[in-house]
């Protein structure tokens, strides 16, 4: 059945293509610490990042519709963590939506740690 097998080839190529492109655009993984354990708050932060933030800020925080967040400037511009929490909860300017109805303060803290400790 030549027809069937060429269909399979095309289908396989498409599936592999999607898998590769998803892998490339996925947010960076949380790496284990010196003792080999993975910080669950950072893992939670990564999940929130993927659902709520990466579409605008880029999967690695490289920027896009939203501001670049992986260049080390965030902790310099906002030395106090509470300022970043408030900014994310309340939104900023024209483009940064308020997240107070979408994610809790705990989740906001987790996503900030992911940005500062994994993306930067
Ligand atoms: C709809 C697009 C969009 C989404 C979704 C979004 N942002 Fe933003 N974000 C922006 C834009 C645009 C700015 C710049 C706002 C300005 O400075 O006026 C911004 C700014 C920021 C800033 C301030 C950067 C600075 O240096 O002032 C932080 C921090 C931030 N976003 C974090 C997040 C986090 C965390 C999430 C997910 C919970 C998120 N953003 C989701 C568009 C977005």
């Amino acid at each position: 059945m030549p027809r069937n097998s060429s269909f399979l080839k095309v289908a396989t190529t498409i599936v592999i293509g999607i898998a590769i492109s998803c892998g490339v655009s996925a947010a960076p993984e949380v790496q284990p610490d010196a003792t080999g354990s993975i910080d669950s708050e950072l893992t939670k932060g990564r999940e929130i990042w993927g659902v709520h933030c990466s579409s605008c800020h880029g999967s690695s925080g490289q920027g896009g519709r939203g501001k670049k967040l992986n260049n080390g400037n965030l902790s310099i511009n906002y030395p106090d963590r509470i300022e970043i929490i408030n900014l994310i909860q309340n939104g900023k300017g024209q483009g940064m939506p308020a997240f107070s109805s979408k994610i809790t303060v705990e989740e906001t803290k987790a996503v900030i740690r992911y940005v500062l400790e994994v993306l930067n």
Side-chain angles (χ1 to χ4, degrees), residues 48-49 52-57 65-69 74 77-78 84 87-88 92-97 99 103 111-112 115:
I48 295 159
W49 176 259
H52 295 286
C53 321
S54 64
S55 57
C56 284
H57 289 281
R65 189 173 154 198
K67 213 169 166 179
K68 185 178 174 75
L69 296 179
L74 196 60
N77 294 338
Y78 304 93
I84 314 181
L87 188 157
I88 294 168
K92 184 183 178 209
Q94 299 297 313
M96 172 65 190
F99 279 91
I103 59 176
V111 76
I112 293 170
V115 171

